[in-house]
Amino acid sequence: MSNLVQKYNIPGPRYTSYPTVPYWDLESFSGLQWKSTLIDSFNESNEDQGISLYIHLPFCESLCTFCGCHKRITKRHEVENPYISNVLKEWKLYCDLFNTKPRIKELHLGGGTPTFFSPENLTRLVNGIFKTAARAENYEFSFEGHPNNTTKEHLQALYNVGFRRVSYGVQDYNKKVQLAIHRLQPFANVKNVTEWAREIGYTSVGHDIIFGLPFQSKDDVAQTILKTKELMPDRLAFYSYAHVPWLKGNGQRGYKDSDLPTAEEKREQYEMGKALLGEVGYSEIGMDHFSLKTDTLYKAMDNGTLHRNFMGYTASKTRVMIGLGVSSISDSWDSFAQNVKNLEEYSHLVENNIIPIYRGHILTKEDKIIRKHILNLMCRFKTSWENQHEVFSELDVVRDKLSEMALDGLVEISSDSIYVTEKGRPFVRNVCMAFDLFLHRKAPDTRLFSMTI
Ligand SMILES: C[S@@+](CC[C@H](N)C(=O)[O-])C[C@H]1O[C@@H](n2cnc3c(N)ncnc32)[C@H](O)[C@@H]1O
Ligand code: SF4
């Protein structure tokens, strides 16, 4: 395995979309076309599937130096009210495009730190959204909570407006690691917020843990998993630390590259962690994700409905996903659009009744075929091209690229399908890269992506 890591540990996308953002064709994108594809997709799917809504709440009180998310650090809570007003204005701009009420199937509050906001302001936000929307059947509402500032009142307020799923950032319990990433977070805090959520009636509690952090050892990862076992969250994200210090404003500068585990140590952490998670009762769902068999994500994997989008893995698929707030990405299925990242610019645009997107991509027929294969690989570890509409012009090139992985036992290739073996699962991003025609045609000339392992 160690030779395989050396061979395949290269920079690569995480495929929450295809084409990946750096390869969007910005030239042929236009806001008008984006709106028109959105309206068409909405009309086609709102009645049956409903839509997904992602709301980015960017504020955090304190900077965690490992963090790659889009955030704004402040202790000034006066920012809450105007931000919520702007998100609601942005939502109204979208609702004005549609001639029926959106039916929301999935709503996710991400960040930053949604629990930076007061329970009253989060309630105002959600109630404001539903002034012009309805809940779809079997809706699923979820949010990301920070264990250091989530209160019972937050959990109760969001429960009252329909939230049943929460995920908490845990990362690692070792003090040395927590100091290095500037995130002191005692186990007692995680225990409290996990237990409160259950007492209130949340049906799915998730924890995010990370391997590959500065100063983190294999033993730290094991201890973190064993502590996690005491609380048995329903879902577990087991992320590989993405070291992307070149991204503007992400603050990954509180430690040196030499403080990070080597690729080999990281691989050992991953393998030990994955085995231990299995021993304590978790099943692997897709890349980085594990759950108990009772969780909806496991059931979705089991019955083949697991889906992946900008929010990560989801239990059901909607054709339309609207992203509100700074930096959010929307997906109309035929095109993607991203909001501006700068808070002041965002506020300015929305206050002037302009949907605040600044770039996007209209998917071609070929993009859609490749996206289907990449989604299959990420959600089901296999894909096939039995039908003519699953075939694309460079399929032979893809098979050639995969033949080496087949020799290494990572994939099995037949005349019309490929299957990622158990051994190949840690390398699923590499398998997807073989299908990524944009990467074939133009390898990035600057560093864009984190390492695949
Ligand atoms: C928005 S945060 C979660 C909510 C809240 N802000 C918190 O920190 O508890 C989303 C998650 O992304 C993960 N994450 C952030 N930066 C990462 C990185 N560089 N590599 C891997 N995972 C990362 C962390 O596990 C984090 O919990
Ligand atoms: S990990 Fe969470 S709390 Fe820390 S900076 Fe990132 S988004 Fe904010």
Side-chain angles (χ1 to χ4, degrees):
M1 185 58 110
S2 104
N3 288 345
L4 291 176
V5 172
Q6 269 175 18
K7 184 165 167 185
Y8 292 108
N9 190 23
I10 53 171
R14 303 177 62 79
Y15 293 110
T16 47
S17 76
Y18 181 83
T20 55
V21 179
Y23 287 103
W24 284 359
D25 179 0
L26 307 181
E27 305 270 289
S28 43
F29 176 79
S30 80
L32 270 182
Q33 229 180 324
W34 147 248
K35 279 188 205 163
S36 132
T37 66
L38 177 67
I39 294 168
D40 289 348
S41 281
F42 177 88
N43 289 340
E44 267 174 52
S45 63
N46 184 48
E47 208 42 55
D48 294 353
Q49 297 179 340
I51 70 162
S52 299
L53 192 60
Y54 170 78
I55 305 181
H56 194 74
L57 299 170
F59 305 110
C60 305
E61 284 211 351
S62 163
L63 175 72
C64 312
T65 49
F66 74 96
C67 177
C69 304
H70 185 80
K71 70 266 170 194
R72 170 76 70 105
I73 309 300
T74 180
K75 288 201 163 55
R76 292 176 51 250
H77 284 261
E78 309 86 274
V79 294
E80 291 184 29
N81 254 314
Y83 189 77
I84 287 183
S85 300
N86 282 335
V87 168
L88 291 175
K89 267 188 206 140
E90 187 190 359
W91 176 235
K92 181 162 183 319
L93 294 175
Y94 276 107
C95 291
D96 287 348
L97 298 176
F98 309 136
N99 52 22
T100 50
K101 263 191 178 184
R103 295 172 63 251
I104 299 180
K105 168 84 178 174
E106 286 205 21
L107 169 59
H108 184 75
L109 309 182
T113 301
T115 47
F116 172 97
F117 288 74
S118 69
E120 296 71 29
N121 277 334
L122 291 173
T123 305
R124 177 164 90 87
L125 171 68
V126 177
N127 287 340
I129 294 287
F130 283 101
K131 273 193 186 142
T132 49
R135 286 166 166 77
E137 258 167 57
N138 302 322
Y139 61 84
E140 280 205 45
F141 297 174
S142 54
F143 73 98
E144 293 166 16
H146 193 313
N148 285 356
N149 66 14
T150 301
T151 61
K152 265 189 191 165
E153 290 71 26
H154 280 115
L155 287 159
Q156 188 65 56
L158 288 169
Y159 182 87
N160 292 348
V161 289
F163 285 71
R164 295 293 179 269
R165 198 146 63 68
V166 55
S167 66
Y168 296 117
V170 171
Q171 329 311 351
D172 185 282
Y173 286 114
N174 181 287
K175 186 100 180 264
K176 190 172 178 196
V177 177
Q178 291 195 356
L179 279 168
I181 62 174
H182 198 241
R183 185 182 172 110
L184 284 179
Q185 180 177 279
F187 177 69
N189 291 11
V190 184
K191 185 169 187 289
N192 282 340
V193 293
T194 301
E195 288 174 354
W196 292 337
R198 290 191 169 137
E199 280 159 26
I200 289 171
Y202 282 77
T203 49
S204 175
V205 178
H207 289 183
D208 301 337
I209 58 179
I210 303 190
F211 63 94
L213 286 168
F215 303 109
Q216 197 181 27
S217 67
K218 198 165 137 189
D219 190 49
D220 295 329
V221 178
Q223 291 310 320
T224 295
I225 293 176
L226 292 174
K227 284 233 154 278
T228 301
K229 179 178 173 244
E230 292 177 34
L231 304 174
M232 279 314 243
D234 306 82
R235 292 184 186 183
L236 245 179
F238 184 46
Y239 291 124
S240 161
Y241 166 60
H243 191 51
V244 283
W246 58 88
L247 288 187
K248 205 172 133 205
N250 82 1
Q252 289 179 327
R253 289 176 213 286
Y255 39 83
K256 301 189 287 292
D257 284 7
S258 57
D259 298 331
L260 296 171
T262 61
E264 183 60 30
E265 285 163 343
K266 211 173 163 188
R267 176 200 58 90
E268 285 178 8
Q269 293 178 357
Y270 168 78
E271 286 193 344
M272 179 279 306
K274 187 174 146 162
L276 193 54
L277 285 172
E279 279 167 37
V280 302
Y282 288 93
S283 305
E284 191 174 21
I285 297 298
M287 191 181 88
D288 312 333
H289 283 75
F290 293 79
S291 84
L292 299 179
K293 288 200 165 66
T294 43
D295 193 84
T296 48
L297 213 54
Y298 179 85
K299 292 177 188 155
M301 180 196 66
D302 210 29
N303 62 26
T305 57
L306 190 68
H307 182 59
R308 186 171 168 84
N309 59 23
F310 290 105
M311 300 193 282
Y313 284 103
T314 63
S316 54
K317 179 189 146 196
T318 62
R319 199 172 160 87
V320 171
M321 190 187 102
I322 296 178
L324 303 178
V326 272
S327 78
S328 289
I329 297 179
S330 300
D331 178 354
S332 74
W333 203 242
D334 294 316
S335 64
F336 301 126
Q338 182 168 30
N339 278 356
V340 293
K341 296 181 177 176
N342 176 282
L343 187 60
E344 289 67 29
E345 198 182 349
Y346 170 78
S347 308
H348 176 78
L349 289 168
V350 174
E351 279 159 12
N352 285 289
N353 297 321
I354 299 169
I355 291 184
I357 56 170
Y358 80 110
R359 61 174 176 175
H361 177 89
I362 310 287
L363 281 94
T364 63
K365 197 171 158 210
E366 183 185 76
D367 294 344
K368 290 179 193 172
I369 298 175
I370 306 286
R371 168 177 64 187
K372 186 163 184 244
H373 291 298
I374 288 185
L375 269 174
N376 285 341
L377 291 164
M378 294 300 272
C379 298
R380 289 169 261 290
F381 292 116
K382 61 182 181 209
T383 192
S384 66
W385 42 92
E386 289 154 13
N387 302 319
Q388 201 46 40
H389 61 263
E390 289 156 345
V391 175
F392 51 97
S393 61
E394 289 174 46
L395 191 51
D396 286 343
V397 182
V398 172
R399 290 166 61 133
D400 276 357
K401 285 199 178 272
L402 288 171
S403 57
E404 178 114 9
M405 285 192 205
L407 288 176
D408 286 327
L410 307 184
V411 293
E412 285 166 11
I413 309 177
S414 76
S415 58
D416 59 7
S417 68
I418 87 139
Y419 165 75
V420 184
T421 62
E422 193 64 35
K423 189 174 166 194
R425 287 184 173 206
F427 304 98
V428 64
R429 281 161 81 177
N430 301 73
V431 181
C432 293
M433 284 165 76
F435 279 84
D436 188 334
L437 298 187
F438 286 94
L439 272 183
H440 297 191
R441 290 171 192 158
K442 189 178 183 305
D445 38 23
T446 52
R447 288 175 79 182
L448 297 175
F449 304 114
S450 60
M451 304 298 274
T452 51
I453 308 297

